[in-house]
Amino acid sequence: MHLVKFLPKNLAKLLLVIVVVCWCFLGCRGIKWLALAKMSSISAKQLPEMCQELIGLAKRQQKICRRNVEVMDSVRFGAHMAIDECQHQFRNRRWNCSTVDPVKVFGNFLKLGTREVAFVHAISSAGVAHAVTRACSKGDLQHCGCDRTVNGRSAEGFEWSGCSDNIAFGIAFSQKFVDARERLRKSKNIKRVLMNLHNNEAGRKAVEDSMQVVCKCHGVSGSCELKTCWRSMATFRQIGAILKESFDGATEVKLEHKKKRPALVPVNNQFKPPTRSDIVYLVASPDFCEPDPKTGSLGTSGRVCNKTSKAIDGCDLLCCGRGYETRTMTIVERCQCKFYWCCYVSCEKCTRTVDEHVCK
Amino acid sequence: MGGVVLETLSWKKLIILGLFLLFLLITFFLIGGLIAPRPTNVVHVIGTKCVNKGGVGNKEWFIPRGGSEKCIQYSSLDDPGIEDDRISANQIVFSFWLPHPREGIQLDFSRWQQTMISVLDLTILYDDENQVEDDAIIQLDARISYRDKEDDVNDWKELASSLEERQLRCEMEGKKENGYAYNCDLLSFFELGSLHYDYYLINIKVPVEPYKGINAGIGNLRDITLVGIHQNGGFTKVWLSIKTVMFPVVLAVLIWFWRRIGQLSRPPNLLERTLFALGIAMSILNCPLEWFTLAIDMPFMLLITDIRQGGFYAMLLCFWIIFTGEHIMDQCERNRLVLYWKHLLAVVIGCFCLLLFELSERGVQLANPFFSIWVTGVGAKLALSFIIVAAIAASCYFFFLCYMIFLVFRNISAKKVALPSMSKSRRSFYMGLIYRFKFLMLATLVCSALTVVFFIISQLSEGQWKWGDEDPSLEYTSAFFTGVYGMWNIYVIGLLSMYAPSHKQFVQGSNAGGDSQEEEVQLTYLPSSSETSAIQSFAAKVAAD
């Protein structure tokens, strides 16, 4: 009885281990911690022990988690924000950033070093940086840095020269936590590691570059004799848009050893080497037309398309020439809404008939 | 009749003195640039969305963090819980606790940080169906309270509360798409003249009354960020040390100057009295009153400092006019304040307007820290008219000053032509006059030019951020403040000591008409500066001519 029950389970485990090992040798250094996004909320107690229970954390990330338990909720929120934003930016494309399941998140898709994977890396590290910075500004975190290196070098810290803005801490934490997985061990697949690290950095750079310098004059009688400036962070939607632009202009790279140090250089040697804010990828993306478990593609059948558009969201391109079905639907909508801040909308109900086109 | 110290100094001494003052100036600049941190820094707080379950009249304080005292809160206004719990706008309280916890400790404000002003940065997301209306006005029900470290965690004491209206100026740049944020102007919020307590708690409600149209067109407001700008403790320490050192120094020079004048057998002339008044204005500005703020709550300090500074600059402007006027070298006798009424009126009107403006802004803020004259239509017009009148007065002043300087130079060139034909004593008298005037012109021009240069450098450095740059470079803004402050101190000290009556001529009586041979006796080795002068003798000679 016992044997019968146990054997398949162990076998499955063994298989899983083998799969995982192979996977890792293939270079599937997936960002499994994104699974945090799917958790409803991290327990309010915030004990170091909970780190073992969190899904998808690498060993080193667990260590960071134990040391920074209070930050984990922001990490979760950042992951959530990143996936949301990814889905928003890619809502009209064949690959629409849909997640496969709560644990694997993106599944096999992350195996290849494609543009899309590069984007996911960039936006997730941006998400963590953004969320942690925000949490610091809200005062939710006790251990944000005051970072005196920027503003002064006195031991008296805050009294002497105040604290630096919170972005330094957000970026530093994102770097520590997100990059931990890549720095995990000496991998044979060095180019994937380099690619991921580069794209993680590009994401954080986008957060930093999107910051606006705002100034206030407050000298004698409000003159600009005395002016104080600070940086304010853009909304995550704007950061997503910046990263989407980088995605569109991403550079295909290959591994090369420069002075015995591995580095990524553009495949096309006419191009300049990628800068810190560029997104880089190693292999061309599949067309994502058909479902393919190898590439993690879900295919486009069943997707709603736009009949009139000639762009990628148009039915011709989105359905990969397979054609589409048109459904006529009657929908009940809110209309003539009046919005009252913060959270109240009074609307009327209208019924409307619409044609919906769905890829075959 | 006696000349001034400047004329009796040898070139060598003068150069040594000049170098010494230059060295002092560089020291001031470096103190600010190397020791002091930048003058101000910001505390950047995103409001926590607390929920008021206690009805409209609920006067409790909503505290964003802590143990049991922490308010019921939502992480975002998009939280589905808000709709589920039927939370209305009037129940949402944005709560800010300044300063932040950092590195595991709840930071607290230090009295060294002196003052704080704050602005609000609204995050309004674009929404097709719910756009920000043109000329929308946001009404804020704001309260501010304070607590000290050792007080009970719930023991927040109210400092001020007010219902404030602010004009929203928001625009969409680039893509108009849902989820993108409007680019809104900062809203001025409050100004605290003293940071006497450890913690400050700010609660803001955005009451909505659809029938009255209150807060109806503010769009999809998601977040309020409060940016508190406080002075840096380190800067205050450096600044106050400079003041504490300079105050007795200038005072000592001033007393020495007045005693010199007292030793004269004639009553002090107008120029000497003006110089004395300038010294007094400088001493008032130097007086390190700020020491008291470390012990006593003095919210009016900001106002007093502004007034003191204004007083000094007004005095400086008056001094320049009078000094130039006394050196015109034409046929009329001056030496009376009344003659300068036109010019001084320009200064007085200008300064009075700025004072009124200051009083109606910072003065009212003593009663209501949330007040700003710029936010209401009438107030803004009033403020603007004050500033315009002050600007007109300033231009009148500069016109007068330039005209007088022109007169002086015209007379100088006329006198230079006539110099060789003059008698020795008259020649030396005029040459002394010219020399003194040119010296002051040069010193003043150098000081003004340095002020402008420092100002430009500090503004440029402010505009160019070097974030994360860890090398300890110069802090230009602080250097500007200490440098300029030190420079005007040196200027006043220089004037007081250079233009004090020289004791080398005390032997001679005040015989205005007599020749002053004694100068030649003692200053023969100084051909270029062996001139002496006196306004009275000048006047008498003119009369004799």
Side-chain angles (χ1 to χ4, degrees):
Chain A
M1 228 359 228
H2 270 268
L3 207 76
V4 177
K5 248 189 173 176
F6 247 87
L7 203 66
K9 238 187 183 176
N10 281 351
L11 208 71
K13 251 186 186 172
L14 195 72
L15 270 175
L16 192 76
V17 168
I18 291 168
V19 166
V20 166
V21 167
C22 294
W23 208 21
C24 285
F25 273 107
L26 283 169
C28 73
R29 325 188 117 269
I31 10 180
K32 286 203 273 174
W33 59 270
L34 278 178
L36 292 178
K38 300 292 169 186
M39 300 180 68
S40 58
S41 170
I42 286 171
S43 66
K45 277 182 232 157
Q46 300 192 338
L47 295 170
E49 289 78 55
M50 73 172 201
C51 291
Q52 273 134 8
E53 291 158 29
L54 295 180
I55 316 156
L57 294 193
K59 248 205 181 116
R60 195 141 156 196
Q61 284 176 326
Q62 283 196 2
K63 216 184 206 171
I64 298 169
C65 168
R66 278 196 293 276
R67 258 186 249 140
N68 303 278
V69 183
E70 56 163 17
V71 192
M72 293 318 285
D73 200 39
S74 306
V75 173
R76 180 195 65 79
F77 185 68
H80 180 77
M81 231 171 31
I83 292 173
D84 268 7
E85 189 53 40
C86 175
Q87 289 176 351
H88 176 84
Q89 295 292 342
F90 283 83
R91 65 196 180 282
N92 293 327
R93 297 181 63 109
R94 286 182 188 160
W95 177 75
N96 63 353
C97 206
S98 44
T99 51
V100 189
D101 74 45
V103 178
K104 284 205 251 163
V105 196
F106 286 108
N108 277 359
F109 158 72
L110 292 170
K111 261 162 63 174
L112 299 168
T114 58
R115 256 175 209 252
E116 283 78 9
V117 174
F119 181 82
V120 171
H121 275 273
I123 199 140
S124 53
S125 88
V128 171
H130 195 272
V132 172
T133 304
R134 247 188 88 86
C136 282
S137 292
K138 276 177 85 177
D140 288 348
L141 305 181
Q142 294 285 324
H143 289 86
C144 292
C146 190
D147 194 23
R148 282 144 204 167
T149 51
V150 180
N151 276 318
R153 41 209 175 271
S154 161
E156 289 147 272
F158 179 66
E159 182 188 281
W160 182 263
S161 62
C163 286
S164 63
D165 58 1
N166 309 302
I167 182 72
F169 183 79
I171 298 269
F173 187 82
S174 162
Q175 199 160 16
K176 200 161 76 171
F177 182 82
V178 179
D179 288 0
R181 180 169 278 279
E182 309 302 334
R183 300 188 194 280
L184 199 56
R185 58 205 129 166
K186 293 273 174 244
S187 168
K188 284 185 181 164
N189 199 344
I190 188 84
K191 58 182 178 181
R192 260 316 286 281
V193 171
L194 284 178
M195 170 188 150
N196 292 350
L197 284 175
H198 187 101
N199 293 324
N200 290 349
E201 180 62 24
R204 291 186 290 264
K205 196 83 181 28
V207 178
E208 224 174 336
D209 290 348
S210 66
M211 298 200 96
Q212 263 192 329
V213 174
V214 189
C215 294
K216 164 86 180 164
C217 291
H218 54 100
V220 177
S221 303
S223 66
C224 273
E225 177 198 16
L226 188 52
K227 196 165 80 172
T228 304
C229 297
W230 63 91
R231 298 190 296 178
S232 79
M233 201 163 57
T235 56
F236 201 61
R237 175 58 40 86
Q238 276 152 313
I239 293 167
I242 292 174
L243 285 174
K244 177 71 192 321
E245 258 172 46
S246 307
F247 169 86
D248 291 333
T251 322
E252 189 177 349
V253 290
K254 61 178 185 210
L255 188 72
E256 217 168 71
H257 288 270
K258 277 185 181 172
K259 292 170 192 164
K260 290 190 180 168
R261 285 190 64 192
L264 297 175
V265 292
V267 170
N268 184 343
N269 52 17
Q270 302 278 303
F271 292 165
K272 283 180 192 161
T275 63
R276 274 177 68 207
S277 44
D278 286 333
I279 286 183
V280 298
Y281 63 98
L282 294 166
V283 290
S285 307
D287 59 10
F288 295 106
C289 278
E290 305 297 333
D292 181 357
K294 269 190 227 156
T295 58
S297 162
L298 297 173
T300 60
S301 88
R303 291 274 302 279
V304 176
C305 61
N306 183 348
K307 195 183 164 189
T308 51
S309 168
K310 292 266 171 251
I312 188 71
D313 62 330
C315 289
D316 288 347
L317 285 172
L318 191 68
C319 304
C320 306
R322 292 186 307 260
Y324 55 91
E325 281 167 1
T326 304
R327 297 192 291 226
T328 308
M329 298 201 308
T330 316
I331 49 168
V332 181
E333 278 189 329
R334 318 192 296 186
C335 59
Q336 292 178 337
C337 292
K338 187 119 184 69
F339 289 83
Y340 299 105
W341 189 82
C342 65
C343 11
Y344 175 64
V345 190
S346 71
C347 292
E348 285 170 27
K349 275 182 184 163
C350 311
T351 23
R352 205 155 61 96
T353 338
V354 285
D355 287 339
E356 197 180 59
H357 313 289
V358 178
C359 290
K360 277 183 188 165
Chain B
M1 187 46 227
V4 299
V5 173
L6 175 65
E7 293 158 61
T8 63
L9 278 183
S10 67
W11 277 109
K12 205 172 141 196
K13 282 183 185 164
L14 204 63
I15 288 169
I16 291 173
L17 192 85
L19 286 177
F20 175 68
L21 293 184
L22 195 70
F23 169 76
L24 266 185
L25 183 61
I26 292 170
T27 315
F28 275 116
F29 190 79
L30 289 182
I31 287 175
L34 293 177
I35 301 174
R38 70 174 49 140
T40 53
N41 204 349
V42 293
V43 182
H44 205 258
V45 194
I46 298 177
T48 303
K49 275 77 78 177
C50 292
V51 176
N52 173 15
K53 299 265 189 190
V56 183
N58 187 2
K59 277 282 165 195
E60 73 175 289
W61 291 99
F62 297 90
I63 305 163
R65 53 183 179 265
S68 59
E69 71 276 15
K70 181 172 155 180
C71 68
I72 308 162
Q73 51 187 253
Y74 289 102
S75 63
S76 120
L77 290 178
D78 300 316
D79 198 314
I82 290 189
E83 216 165 307
D84 297 345
D85 299 348
R86 300 192 166 277
I87 304 295
S88 75
N90 296 333
Q91 284 178 287
I92 301 280
V93 181
F94 289 91
S95 170
F96 307 82
W97 175 349
L98 278 64
H100 282 297
R102 280 286 176 270
E103 292 171 355
I105 337 159
Q106 169 65 50
L107 297 176
D108 59 282
F109 282 119
S110 149
R111 287 179 189 174
W112 285 103
Q113 285 165 331
Q114 299 278 305
T115 63
M116 179 163 66
I117 74 166
S118 76
V119 287
L120 295 182
D121 187 2
L122 306 182
T123 308
I124 302 178
L125 298 187
Y126 183 81
D127 187 337
D128 271 336
E129 297 167 305
N130 182 19
Q131 300 189 14
V132 177
E133 287 171 12
D134 295 337
D135 302 323
I137 285 176
I138 186 168
Q139 197 181 64
L140 303 167
D141 182 359
R143 294 162 78 208
I144 178 166
S145 67
Y146 62 86
R147 168 164 93 75
D148 276 326
K149 249 190 285 190
E150 52 287 354
D151 293 346
D152 182 73
V153 287
N154 271 315
D155 190 18
W156 293 92
K157 293 170 274 285
E158 182 169 289
L159 194 71
S161 72
S162 178
L163 193 64
E164 289 293 322
E165 286 188 344
R166 297 283 190 270
Q167 177 95 42
L168 277 189
R169 286 187 196 87
C170 294
E171 53 187 89
M172 268 318 268
E173 285 165 358
K175 262 199 282 195
K176 280 194 174 182
E177 199 180 296
N178 288 4
Y180 282 82
Y182 278 95
N183 194 355
C184 291
D185 283 2
L186 297 172
L187 305 182
S188 61
F189 196 42
F190 65 77
E191 281 198 50
L192 292 180
S194 68
L195 269 186
H196 192 70
Y197 305 100
D198 288 337
Y199 309 130
Y200 289 85
L201 179 70
I202 294 112
N203 279 182
I204 304 174
K205 287 181 203 166
V206 186
V208 174
E209 285 182 51
Y211 300 110
K212 289 185 193 163
I214 290 173
N215 286 333
I218 59 170
N220 187 14
L221 173 66
R222 294 286 95 176
D223 264 311
I224 299 183
T225 306
L226 186 144
V227 182
I229 304 170
H230 59 79
Q231 196 164 317
N232 275 332
F235 182 77
T236 316
K237 283 175 187 171
V238 171
W239 187 248
L240 208 48
S241 319
I242 293 179
K243 278 187 146 189
T244 313
V245 172
M246 288 320 284
F247 179 60
V249 172
V250 173
L251 208 62
V253 175
L254 190 64
I255 291 168
W256 170 83
F257 174 80
W258 198 241
R259 284 182 53 179
R260 265 288 166 87
I261 287 172
Q263 284 164 3
L264 292 176
S265 48
R266 60 173 170 80
N269 64 32
L270 178 62
L271 198 56
E272 285 157 351
R273 277 180 285 153
T274 317
L275 253 179
F276 185 65
L278 184 66
I280 289 179
M282 186 83 244
S283 296
I284 292 174
L285 182 62
N286 278 343
C287 182
L289 279 180
E290 285 87 346
W291 284 112
F292 292 110
T293 58
L294 300 180
I296 315 164
D297 187 14
M298 295 164 78
F300 45 84
M301 207 51 227
L302 211 55
L303 183 66
I304 288 185
T305 305
D306 281 359
I307 292 177
R308 288 196 295 179
Q309 198 168 347
F312 171 70
Y313 284 118
M315 200 56 236
L316 197 62
L317 296 179
C318 294
F319 168 74
W320 285 337
I321 277 287
I322 292 171
F323 187 88
T324 318
E326 295 293 298
H327 285 79
I328 284 184
M329 296 180 280
D330 56 5
Q331 308 301 315
C332 70
E333 186 190 352
R334 289 198 169 73
N335 198 21
R336 281 187 311 156
L337 201 55
V338 198
L339 288 172
Y340 297 99
W341 69 270
K342 274 184 295 188
H343 318 83
L344 297 186
L345 195 67
V347 178
V348 168
I349 289 177
C351 291
F352 188 67
C353 279
L354 287 181
L355 177 70
L356 277 183
F357 169 72
E358 187 72 21
L359 283 177
S360 52
E361 174 92 358
R362 292 212 159 133
V364 179
Q365 273 163 4
L366 288 180
N368 175 13
F370 298 105
F371 178 83
S372 171
I373 194 164
W374 294 104
V375 297
T376 58
V378 185
K381 275 179 198 147
L382 197 70
L384 209 58
S385 53
F386 281 149
I387 288 173
I388 288 171
V389 173
I392 292 171
S395 3
C396 287
Y397 170 83
F398 277 103
F399 169 73
F400 285 138
L401 188 65
C402 291
Y403 179 66
M404 281 168 103
I405 291 173
F406 163 73
L407 281 185
V408 174
F409 275 108
R410 201 189 59 186
N411 290 344
I412 283 178
S413 49
K415 286 286 178 313
K416 266 193 178 152
V417 177
L419 272 181
S421 60
M422 286 181 186
S423 71
K424 208 172 188 184
S425 63
R426 281 195 66 189
R427 193 165 70 214
S428 58
F429 162 74
Y430 278 120
M431 282 175 77
L433 219 59
I434 291 167
Y435 174 58
R436 286 194 309 193
F437 181 76
K438 284 192 169 168
F439 185 83
L440 183 100
M441 270 302 276
L442 188 72
T444 309
L445 276 180
V446 166
C447 285
S448 314
L450 281 179
T451 308
V452 173
V453 168
F454 286 168
F455 183 69
I456 290 171
I457 291 175
S458 79
Q459 293 284 312
L460 284 182
S461 76
E462 193 73 25
Q464 289 172 342
W465 290 96
K466 288 187 286 172
W467 294 103
D469 210 346
E470 285 163 35
D471 65 277
S473 56
L474 272 180
E475 200 59 75
Y476 288 106
T477 322
S478 298
F480 163 69
F481 280 102
T482 54
V484 168
Y485 186 71
M487 188 184 70
W488 289 114
N489 261 298
I490 292 169
Y491 181 83
V492 170
I493 292 175
L495 286 186
L496 285 175
S497 48
M498 290 289 111
Y499 290 83
S502 171
H503 61 80
K504 288 180 180 169
Q505 285 88 46
F506 286 160
V507 279
Q508 188 72 16
S510 61
N511 181 5
D515 287 344
S516 35
Q517 312 92 329
E518 75 278 11
E519 286 89 3
E520 272 102 50
V521 175
Q522 55 177 205
L523 299 170
T524 37
Y525 56 92
L526 270 182
S528 60
S529 63
S530 66
E531 290 82 28
T532 178
S533 60
I535 306 266
Q536 277 89 349
S537 64
F538 161 53
K541 268 187 199 118
V542 166
D545 288 346

